[in-house]
Amino acid sequence: MKKLLISAISLLFTSTISAQEFSAKVNQISSDGFVSTFKSFPNELILNGLDCKGGNISPEISWKGAPKETKSFAISLYDASAPTDSGFWHWVVFNIPSNVNTIKKGASKNIQLLPKGAIESRTDFIKDINGVYGYGGPCPSVGDKPHNYVFKVTALKDYIPLDKDATPAFISYYVGQLKLAESKIIVPFSR
């Protein structure tokens, strides 16, 4: 019994260390490498639409320390403070191959910059009944309290068996089921 308890504690400790080593960085926002201190959103990342006049360029995101069992990665940008019952999805990319550790600035909607095999799904922005595909920058209402924008990079134990027409919520379900490790970067932002 004592050996079983020691093995269980050892496994828990190893899993915790492995997950803690996985970290991500949004290069246009993180101010000092992989440490969790942030600048605000630069104008180039802000939405160009509604009443915002930004560049709407997707940021460069890099990560390190993925578990060796990783088969693919997923990236998302989610506004957890949006005035809805379910937040607001600004960007979802999944099935990023395990040999990739950076998504380049401006990769959204750019087949030459997005890693081969990666899939950008729709977001919560509405153009027609199918939504809008690719990155849509933050644009909280003027005067709102700061919104918490969550960049998340997740290491997955398999590929997600969905296509670009899947909803962000459905992709998020698979991310939760396949997650090996994740890194979140929360950026408060208001106008």
Side-chain angles (χ1 to χ4, degrees), residues 71-89:
K71 295 271 195 292
S72 70
F73 296 98
I75 292 176
S76 60
L77 173 58
Y78 175 76
D79 180 357
S81 306
T84 70
D85 289 339
S86 59
F88 194 90
W89 294 92

Side-chain angles (χ1 to χ4, degrees), residues 6-18:
I6 290 170
S7 294
I9 290 171
S10 174
L11 179 61
L12 178 62
F13 183 70
T14 302
S15 296
T16 302
I17 286 175
S18 177

Side-chain angles (χ1 to χ4, degrees), residues 22-25 63 151-155 181-185:
F22 183 63
S23 61
K25 170 175 127 172
W63 53 93
F151 284 95
K152 186 165 68 167
V153 179
T154 310
E182 73 178 18
S183 180
K184 290 182 183 179
I185 300 165

Side-chain angles (χ1 to χ4, degrees), residues 1-66:
M1 181 68 165
K2 194 174 188 178
K3 270 186 169 179
L4 182 60
L5 181 59
I6 290 170
S7 294
I9 290 171
S10 174
L11 179 61
L12 178 62
F13 183 70
T14 302
S15 296
T16 302
I17 286 175
S18 177
Q20 289 174 347
E21 291 174 356
F22 183 63
S23 61
K25 170 175 127 172
V26 180
N27 293 340
Q28 288 78 18
I29 296 173
S30 301
S31 63
D32 56 354
F34 288 86
V35 179
S36 297
T37 56
F38 310 103
K39 300 182 252 181
S40 188
F41 280 94
N43 193 57
E44 67 183 350
L45 302 183
I46 304 296
L47 183 70
N48 187 6
L50 302 174
D51 65 343
C52 288
K53 305 288 185 228
N56 204 46
I57 297 171
S58 61
E60 179 172 293
I61 301 177
S62 53
W63 53 93
K64 64 182 179 179

Side-chain angles (χ1 to χ4, degrees), residues 36 44 72 74 78 124 130 141 159 175 181:
S36 297
E44 67 183 350
S72 70
Y78 175 76
D124 284 339
N130 294 318
S141 296
Y159 286 87
V175 167

Side-chain angles (χ1 to χ4, degrees), residues 52-187:
C52 288
K53 305 288 185 228
N56 204 46
I57 297 171
S58 61
E60 179 172 293
I61 301 177
S62 53
W63 53 93
K64 64 182 179 179
K68 64 180 179 181
E69 306 84 13
T70 301
K71 295 271 195 292
S72 70
F73 296 98
I75 292 176
S76 60
L77 173 58
Y78 175 76
D79 180 357
S81 306
T84 70
D85 289 339
S86 59
F88 194 90
W89 294 92
H90 286 258
W91 195 27
V92 180
V93 184
F94 62 99
N95 290 350
I96 300 165
S98 63
N99 64 337
V100 173
N101 66 1
T102 300
I103 296 291
K104 294 182 179 184
K105 176 181 168 184
S108 180
K109 305 173 200 154
N110 186 333
I111 194 81
Q112 284 132 359
L113 293 178
L114 203 61
K116 185 175 182 173
I119 299 171
E120 276 191 298
S121 76
R122 16 188 240 196
T123 64
D124 284 339
F125 288 101
I126 299 295
K127 183 175 182 179
D128 58 35
I129 193 76
N130 294 318
V132 175
Y133 298 88
Y135 179 82
C139 182
S141 296
V142 173
D144 275 4
K145 291 181 180 178
H147 286 218
N148 288 312
Y149 290 91
V150 181
F151 284 95
K152 186 165 68 167
V153 179
T154 310
L156 305 173
K157 61 185 171 185
D158 208 346
Y159 286 87
I160 296 175
L162 299 173
D163 63 21
K164 69 178 185 145
D165 293 319
T167 64
F170 199 31
I171 295 164
S172 180
Y173 167 79
Y174 271 96
V175 167
Q177 296 300 307
L178 299 172
K179 176 173 59 175
L180 292 170
E182 73 178 18
S183 180
K184 290 182 183 179
I185 300 165
I186 301 172
V187 184

